[in-house]
């Protein structure tokens, strides 16, 4: 039966085509595990979540009914978040895209899945791709801590940078912001001027509160304003409730990641401690049923950045934004839609964005039973040596008493000069290779012996970078009465050289958030990261794709006491061989605010690039306080120039430490000299 996208499927990202080929019921289950898909409540609420699925025995799995035929009509009640690339920067848009966020010729849009064919057929549209999923941050918790010394991060002359006064620090994060924590109070008032809770409904949306400044693309979530937060602080004693229970965010997790990050960047014990603070809470609900109804993908980061920039313009302040969240999709070369979106924002002076490099640096177990390497083996690279030759990659899916019920995704990027075919061998004994799939061909939702699905796409000339790419998806069987996980073991991906001029390739596995989902017969069901085998894994280029942007400052995790890079910190370079990460900053055992934990447990120590990045964002804020017209490129250049190599290293860029350890005092001195002009001697 024909694909519902017809001849326009070439414009649509393979993963989105695969989703379009499934029913609303299947996508309701998929939405629990996918950041960029939601289903209407009428669909979501009538189906059981994975946690409540009935056990699937081996006998049941072998006689499971075949999937429905491919649909002539798109499933109703399904919405997706997409980036749409258009022909020009100022022309009209298809009706479904009007009023959506736009930057240049890229639109970040939420659309009904059944609108996709009309959008794809529009001659003004070049390409449509899903937003990349945002990985749940996974800092290491070191336990409680004592209140930090307020002098620990005092740099330069406070008369010059005024500790960030007059600068806006923007935080894009998850798990809530404890605005009444003592680290954010100025007297009895909070230093947070705004919190946009993208998944909340306790207050009107930004658009509803100020439609002139915030257009219809901001008409979701709840916006808390400083006056709301301060009234809650005043009322808390009378009501005998903590302020955050009066003005409730959709996430308020004890030990909140967002609170800790904000405390490092701009708390009263932080780096930029007199700055104004604004935050955007990305929706990351804990319950699987709620995940069906919300988005957690890179289009939401685009909205968050635009919101914070609009607020900075309203307040007439320079802004330093921190994003301690990661994405792993796309080519890791700065051409992903979200990277281009942020780079476009940073062409204006008085703006900076810092991004955590990621915690995918570990390649082997550090001690018996350590599984940290699983989160690190996400990258492979190599070379197909010539025509008629091939290269095998080993892709591991967990087994034993676990079953993986998440969708596993592998992307392989290679030169436009080359032509590779691809085959896949499932892990069961005696399995034949499936394929080869040649350039321009695909296999979509092919049902395997165990009833799970395999999809392979071999695409030429990606519209964002011109490179060729292969996408492979291992998808569970999602049924009304059960789910059958992806077969465990070693999947072999074979690259066949058809026409080889360059031969090099890079591949990345899209990382799942490890989550236990319940039981399937005698096994535990998990959403769990697949990973490359030790022989196929290549220990570089693991920096998250969001941290590969050209103008963002990408930050590694420095173990400051030992003057070394933490073993978990991700490594560069980018696929196009640029120097990311840029710099290393303190990120190990960092004590900062313990959000939503109560008055007797105010501080907590955490480790990760999530903690290093806000340190640099705070330093960038101090630099902007000295020179409000600094550009993002100038801030990046100053950080490169002033950084100090780790012991035993030279000034040469290193793939784990960037240009070395950040030197805040030197950054501030250099920032003051940017616009200084001196007459040279004759």
């Amino acid at each position: 039966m024909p694909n519902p996208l017809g001849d326009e499927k070439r414009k649509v990202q393979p993963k989105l085509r695969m989703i379009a080929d499934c029913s609303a019921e299947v996508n309701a289950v998929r939405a629990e595990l996918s950041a960029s898909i939601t289903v209407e409540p009428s669909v979501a609420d009538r189906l059981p979540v994975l946690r409540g699925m009935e056990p699937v025995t081996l006998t049941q799995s072998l006689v499971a009914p075949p999937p429905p035929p491919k649909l002539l009509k798109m499933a109703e009640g399904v919405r997706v978040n997409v980036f749409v690339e258009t022909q020009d920067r100022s022309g009209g848009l298809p009706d479904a895209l009007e009023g959506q966020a736009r930057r240049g010729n890229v639109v970040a849009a939420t659309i009904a899945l059944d609108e996709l064919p009309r959008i794809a057929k529009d001659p003004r549209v070049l390409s449509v791709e899903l937003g990349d999923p945002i990985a749940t941050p996974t800092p290491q918790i070191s336990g409680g801590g004592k209140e930090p010394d307020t002098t620990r991060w005092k740099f330069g002359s406070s008369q010059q940078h005024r500790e960030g006064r007059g600068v806006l620090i923007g935080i894009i994060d998850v798990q809530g912001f404890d605005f009444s924590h003592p680290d954010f109070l100025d007297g009895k008032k909070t230093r947070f001027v705004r919190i946009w809770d993208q998944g909340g409904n306790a207050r009107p949306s930004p658009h509803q509160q100020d439609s002139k400044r915030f257009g219809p693309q901001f008409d979701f979530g709840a916006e808390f304003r400083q006056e709301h937060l301060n009234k809650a602080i005043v009322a808390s004693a009378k009501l005998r409730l903590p302020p955050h229970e009066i003005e409730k965010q959709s996430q308020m997790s004890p030990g909140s990641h967002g609170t800790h990050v904000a405390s490092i960047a701009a708390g009263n014990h932080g780096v930029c401690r007199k700055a104004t603070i604004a935050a955007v809470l990305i929706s990351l609900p804990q319950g699987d049923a709620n995940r069906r109804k919300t988005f957690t993908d890179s289009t939401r980061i685009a909205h968050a950045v635009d919101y914070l920039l609009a607020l900075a313009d309203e307040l007439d302040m320079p802004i330093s934004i921190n994003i301690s969240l990661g994405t792993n999709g796309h080519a890791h070369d700065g051409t992903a839609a979200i990277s281009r979106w942020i780079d476009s924002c940073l062409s204006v002076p008085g703006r900076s964005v810092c991004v955590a490099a990621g915690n995918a640096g570990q390649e082997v177990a550090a001690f018996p039973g350590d599984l940290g390497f699983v989160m690190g083996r996400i990258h492979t690279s190599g070379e197909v040596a010539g025509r008629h030759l091939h290269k095998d990659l080993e892709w591991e899916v967990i087994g034993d008493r676990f079953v993986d019920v998440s969708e596993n995704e592998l992307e392989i990027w290679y030169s436009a000069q080359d032509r590779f075919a691809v085959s896949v061998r499932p892990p069961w004994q005696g399995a034949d290779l499936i394929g080869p799939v040649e350039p321009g061909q695909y296999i979509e939702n092919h049902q395997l012996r165990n009833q799970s699905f395999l999809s392979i796409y071999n695409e030429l000339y990606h519209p964002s970078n011109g490179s060729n790419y292969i996408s492979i998806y291992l998808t569970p069987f999602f049924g009304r009465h059960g789910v059958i996980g992806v077969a465990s073991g070693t999947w072999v991906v074979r690259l066949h050289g058809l026409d080889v001029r360059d031969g090099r390739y890079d591949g990345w596995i899209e990382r799942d958030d490890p989550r236990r989902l319940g039981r399937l017969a005698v096994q535990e069901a998990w959403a769990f990261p697949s990973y490359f085998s030790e022989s196929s894994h290549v220990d570089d280029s693991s920096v998250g794709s969001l941290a590969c942007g050209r103008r963002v400052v990408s930050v590694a995790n420095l173990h400051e006491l030992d003057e070394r890079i933490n073993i978990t910190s991700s490594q560069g370079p980018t696929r196009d061989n640029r120097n990311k990460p840029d710099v290393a900053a303190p990120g190990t055992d960092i004590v900062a605010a313990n959000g939503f934990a109560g008055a007797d447990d105010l501080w907590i120590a955490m480790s990760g690039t999530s903690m290093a990045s806000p340190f640099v964002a705070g330093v960038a804020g101090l630099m902007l306080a000295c020179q409000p017209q600094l550009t993002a490129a100038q801030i990046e250049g100053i950080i490169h120039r002033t950084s100090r190599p780790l012991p035993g290293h030279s000034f040469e860029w290193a793939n784990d430490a960037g240009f070395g350890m950040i030197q805040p005092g030197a950054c501030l001195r250099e920032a003051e000299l940017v616009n200084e002009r001196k007459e040279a001697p004759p």
Side-chain angles (χ1 to χ4, degrees):
M1 309 221 15
N3 187 293
L5 286 170
D7 294 335
E8 300 304 323
K9 61 181 180 293
R10 58 186 171 80
K11 289 186 178 182
V12 179
Q13 177 196 34
K15 186 173 184 178
L16 188 51
R17 283 157 33 193
M18 182 177 65
I19 292 166
D21 202 28
C22 294
S23 68
E25 286 75 11
V26 169
N27 281 323
V29 182
R30 175 182 269 128
E32 294 174 24
L33 305 167
S34 177
S36 50
I37 309 171
T38 69
V39 292
E40 296 296 334
S42 60
V43 176
D45 293 339
R46 75 170 183 257
L47 294 172
V49 296
L50 288 180
R51 194 181 308 281
M53 287 289 186
E54 297 175 10
V56 176
T57 66
L58 180 62
T59 302
Q60 287 175 310
S61 68
L62 291 176
V63 299
K70 293 186 176 182
L71 303 175
L72 287 172
K73 182 180 179 181
M74 291 284 184
E76 296 180 354
V78 179
R79 296 186 302 151
V80 289
N81 268 358
V82 293
F83 286 106
V84 181
E85 191 157 0
T86 61
Q87 291 278 8
D88 58 63
R89 304 169 68 91
S90 57
L93 296 172
D95 290 343
L97 303 182
E98 288 293 344
Q100 307 266 17
R102 183 174 186 175
R103 191 160 290 275
N105 70 323
V106 179
V107 181
T110 301
I111 64 168
L113 193 59
D114 54 13
E115 287 283 346
L116 186 59
R118 284 187 288 274
I119 292 172
K121 289 177 182 177
D122 194 293
R124 294 165 291 186
V125 170
L126 292 174
S127 65
V128 188
E129 63 181 72
L130 284 169
D132 290 320
I134 300 170
T136 304
T138 54
Q140 296 175 338
I141 308 298
S142 309
K146 295 181 180 179
E147 180 177 352
D149 190 328
T150 56
T151 64
R152 62 172 175 168
W153 291 334
K154 285 205 169 185
F155 311 111
S157 169
S158 60
Q159 291 180 335
Q160 296 164 325
H161 57 65
R162 298 170 298 158
E163 298 183 293
R165 197 181 303 274
V167 171
L168 182 63
I169 296 291
I171 307 294
I172 302 172
D173 221 294
V174 296
Q175 298 182 350
F177 299 97
D178 191 350
F179 60 88
S180 63
H181 189 285
D183 210 35
F184 304 118
L185 294 181
D186 183 5
K188 293 186 177 181
K189 295 183 178 180
T190 184
R191 290 173 47 222
F192 278 88
V193 291
R194 295 283 197 284
I195 299 174
W196 180 24
D197 179 2
Q198 291 189 339
N201 57 15
R203 286 277 175 182
S205 69
H207 175 67
Q208 290 170 323
Q209 297 203 52
D210 187 352
S211 59
K212 291 183 179 179
R213 187 168 300 278
F214 297 107
Q217 67 267 37
F218 300 106
D219 195 14
F220 63 94
E223 184 187 49
F224 301 92
R225 300 195 163 206
Q226 192 171 38
E227 56 267 29
H228 305 145
L229 306 178
N230 284 334
K231 286 180 180 178
I233 292 172
V234 172
S236 64
K238 182 178 180 180
L239 297 176
R240 296 183 179 180
L241 288 172
H244 59 260
E245 290 291 345
I246 300 171
E247 292 288 352
K248 296 185 69 168
Q249 298 160 58
S250 60
Q251 304 163 60
M252 296 186 293
S253 303
S256 157
H257 189 269
T259 299
H260 198 267
V261 165
S263 175
I264 294 168
N268 295 334
H269 298 72
V271 177
C272 204
R273 58 191 65 181
K274 297 296 183 183
T276 301
I277 308 171
V280 179
L281 181 56
I282 302 292
S283 179
L284 191 67
Q286 298 300 309
D288 296 309
N290 288 329
R291 284 175 182 255
R292 293 180 175 181
K293 306 172 190 176
T294 59
F295 291 109
T296 311
D297 67 280
S298 54
T299 66
R300 289 314 199 212
I301 291 180
H303 288 101
V305 169
D306 282 1
Y307 171 83
L308 291 171
L309 296 180
L311 181 58
D313 290 343
E314 177 187 339
L315 299 175
D316 194 23
M317 291 181 176
I319 182 171
S320 174
I321 296 174
N322 183 77
I323 309 174
S324 285
L325 301 170
T327 60
N328 211 41
H330 215 269
H332 292 67
D333 59 3
T335 63
I338 184 58
S339 295
R340 289 183 287 138
W341 190 284
I342 294 174
D343 282 341
S344 174
C345 296
L346 294 179
S347 61
V348 176
R351 298 174 176 178
S352 173
V353 175
C354 294
V355 180
N359 302 319
Q362 185 176 346
E363 60 173 320
V364 295
F367 51 84
D370 177 26
L371 291 177
F373 72 90
V374 170
M375 304 303 288
R377 291 188 192 167
I378 62 168
H379 173 247
T380 190
S381 62
E383 184 176 348
V384 178
R387 188 179 181 187
H388 302 310
L389 300 179
H390 67 262
K391 190 81 171 185
D392 283 351
L393 308 176
E394 294 179 343
W395 185 11
E396 304 285 353
V397 175
I398 64 165
D400 298 327
R401 65 183 190 279
F402 302 108
V403 58
D404 186 3
V405 296
S406 60
E407 197 159 59
N408 293 272
E409 176 182 351
L410 168 61
E411 293 183 1
I412 300 169
W413 295 79
Y414 65 101
S415 170
Q417 294 179 292
D418 294 328
R419 294 294 181 268
F420 295 166
V422 59
S423 302
V424 175
R425 177 182 287 125
W428 44 79
Q429 188 173 5
D432 294 326
L433 284 168
I434 299 171
V437 177
E438 297 192 358
Q441 295 182 337
Y442 66 92
I443 296 173
E444 191 167 87
N445 292 331
H446 171 69
Q447 195 161 29
L448 302 170
R449 188 177 77 182
N450 77 329
Q451 302 298 311
S452 66
F453 297 93
L454 170 69
S455 298
I456 307 172
Y457 303 85
N458 195 344
E459 305 277 313
L460 297 175
Y461 307 122
H462 192 281
S464 68
N465 59 14
S467 296
N468 301 333
Y469 68 109
I470 293 165
S471 305
I472 305 172
Y473 302 92
L474 310 178
T475 305
F477 175 87
F478 297 131
R480 181 178 294 273
H481 299 296
V483 57
I484 301 169
V486 174
S488 63
T490 302
W491 293 72
V492 175
V493 177
R494 176 167 293 180
L495 300 178
H496 309 261
L498 303 180
D499 184 7
V500 180
R501 302 178 184 179
D502 178 272
R504 291 173 293 177
Y505 63 85
D506 285 271
W508 287 272
I509 293 171
E510 183 58 78
R511 190 178 67 183
D512 298 314
D513 297 333
R515 287 188 294 136
R516 185 182 183 278
L517 297 170
R519 295 193 66 83
L520 294 177
V522 296
Q523 295 178 301
E524 288 192 0
W526 279 75
F528 201 84
S530 54
Y531 55 95
F532 288 115
S533 71
E534 190 169 2
S535 61
S536 292
H537 167 64
V538 176
D539 189 32
D540 62 15
S541 300
S542 57
V543 167
S545 57
L546 190 64
C548 290
R550 283 166 169 74
R551 288 277 76 93
V552 303
V553 180
S554 174
V555 187
N557 174 5
L558 171 68
H559 192 303
E560 189 175 24
L561 187 63
D562 292 348
E563 292 188 297
R564 62 174 176 81
I565 300 301
N566 191 295
I567 188 175
T568 64
S569 190
S570 292
Q571 301 164 343
T574 63
R575 176 176 170 266
D576 55 335
N577 210 34
R578 285 180 296 108
N579 296 332
K580 298 291 178 181
D582 293 282
V583 69
T588 301
D589 295 328
I590 303 300
V591 178
N594 188 11
F596 309 109
D600 297 328
D601 192 15
L602 291 174
W603 308 98
I604 190 170
M606 296 186 188
S607 300
T609 57
S610 286
M611 287 62 251
S613 184
F615 185 97
V616 179
V619 173
L622 295 178
M623 294 166 71
L624 287 168
C626 294
Q627 290 281 10
Q629 290 301 305
L630 286 174
T631 66
Q634 288 174 315
I635 290 171
E636 185 182 27
I638 289 170
I639 289 172
H640 291 177
R641 161 68 182 174
T642 57
S643 295
R644 178 165 60 86
L646 272 67
H649 289 66
S650 69
F651 285 100
E652 186 178 3
W653 178 85
N655 74 346
D656 59 347
F659 287 98
M661 300 179 286
I662 191 168
Q663 303 297 300
C667 287
L668 297 173
R669 289 192 295 273
E670 203 74 11
E672 291 180 325
L673 299 176
V674 168
N675 294 323
E676 189 174 295
R677 299 288 186 271
K678 292 183 179 179
E679 184 177 353

